[in-house]
Amino acid sequence: MKLILFALFFPVFCFAQNGQKKLSDGVVDSVPGTSVVLKNYEVIFQKVYTSKLTADELGNQLFTLLSTTKGFRFDRRISPDGDQLIGRLVKYVVDAQRYNGYTVFGMAGILSYPVDASVVVNVKDFKYRVTVSELSFNHIETATKGEFRDVKLSDYITKKNRSRFATGKSDLKIARAIDQDLSNKFDLQKSNLSDDF
């Protein structure tokens, strides 16, 4: 009898653990007052911009903006047609000194290193969303002289296995500087684009 019960419940025991490690789809944590969020154990910048332009007009304007952005490279969908522009920031330098006079000393000094990241821009009528993910700082010297490594932003300003943001003063400065720089970089209203050449 025990063998029959065991045979009946064996599949339940085998598959009961399946799905417990599913990542959350929602925002787990955020830095107040910024568009820097912790989602699925990764720090990303995600912001929605509004506009008076239709999706086609926005696509053309964003294509032009991204084409002229220093350090941006298109990956796929390199034409403004469609509703998504995909690319990468390559050796992009965050202009931290422009915002609140951040210095290169201390923990915020990581902002002086170039950044690589993935960029996805979703376009709809009258709005677009910019998502910058996989942010990592390049070629940071380690404590061992002569050794260098890349540092993911997700590892740098989070704690408890990337489950929430660190709340130190320099961690918040880094998040705010990245937010201000990327917010302005992808804002069509603040860009120097013009219809007149």
Side-chain angles (χ1 to χ4, degrees):
M1 184 68 169
K2 289 181 183 179
L3 188 60
I4 294 173
L5 286 174
F6 179 74
L8 284 173
F9 289 111
F10 182 73
V12 173
F13 294 123
C14 289
F15 299 107
Q17 299 297 321
N18 199 14
Q20 280 190 351
K21 293 187 179 185
K22 183 180 177 187
L23 296 174
S24 169
D25 290 334
V27 173
V28 175
D29 198 5
S30 63
V31 176
T34 70
S35 297
V36 177
V37 296
L38 182 62
K39 186 175 182 179
N40 296 338
Y41 304 100
E42 182 184 5
V43 175
I44 64 172
F45 167 84
Q46 189 169 60
K47 185 167 184 168
V48 176
Y49 298 87
T50 58
S51 175
K52 295 179 181 179
L53 302 175
T54 64
D56 290 339
E57 294 168 327
L58 267 174
N60 288 327
Q61 288 285 322
L62 288 165
F63 180 78
T64 303
L65 175 68
L66 294 173
S67 297
T68 59
T69 298
K70 185 177 180 181
F72 183 82
R73 307 282 186 272
F74 279 108
D75 279 350
R76 298 182 300 269
R77 281 286 168 112
I78 59 171
S79 70
D81 303 335
D83 62 349
Q84 195 174 62
L85 300 167
I86 300 171
R88 291 195 56 76
L89 290 174
V90 179
K91 296 187 180 177
Y92 176 79
V93 178
V94 175
D95 191 359
Q97 292 180 344
R98 180 177 178 190
Y99 308 104
N100 300 323
Y102 294 126
T103 63
V104 295
F105 299 107
M107 295 279 285
I110 195 170
L111 294 174
S112 64
Y113 291 93
V115 175
D116 285 347
S118 295
V119 179
V120 177
V121 182
N122 300 98
V123 182
K124 292 184 177 182
D125 285 337
F126 315 116
K127 63 183 174 181
Y128 61 100
R129 180 179 64 204
V130 177
T131 305
V132 181
S133 59
E134 300 173 12
L135 287 124
S136 68
F137 295 93
N138 296 326
H139 210 64
I140 297 177
E141 190 168 7
T142 62
T144 308
K145 193 172 182 174
E147 290 185 21
F148 298 90
R149 65 184 176 106
D150 294 345
V151 176
K152 292 182 180 180
L153 181 63
S154 298
D155 293 332
Y156 200 76
I157 64 171
T158 61
K159 59 183 180 179
K160 297 197 176 186
N161 296 322
R162 293 185 182 179
S163 64
R164 61 184 188 201
F165 280 107
T167 55
K169 190 175 181 180
S170 61
D171 298 314
L172 296 176
K173 276 186 177 183
I174 291 168
R176 288 186 182 118
I178 289 170
D179 173 70
Q180 289 174 325
D181 187 63
L182 294 178
S183 290
N184 290 335
K185 184 62 67 180
F186 294 106
D187 192 345
L188 281 173
Q189 294 178 356
K190 293 182 181 178
S191 72
N192 295 324
L193 295 178
S194 173
D195 292 334
D196 302 324
F197 287 100

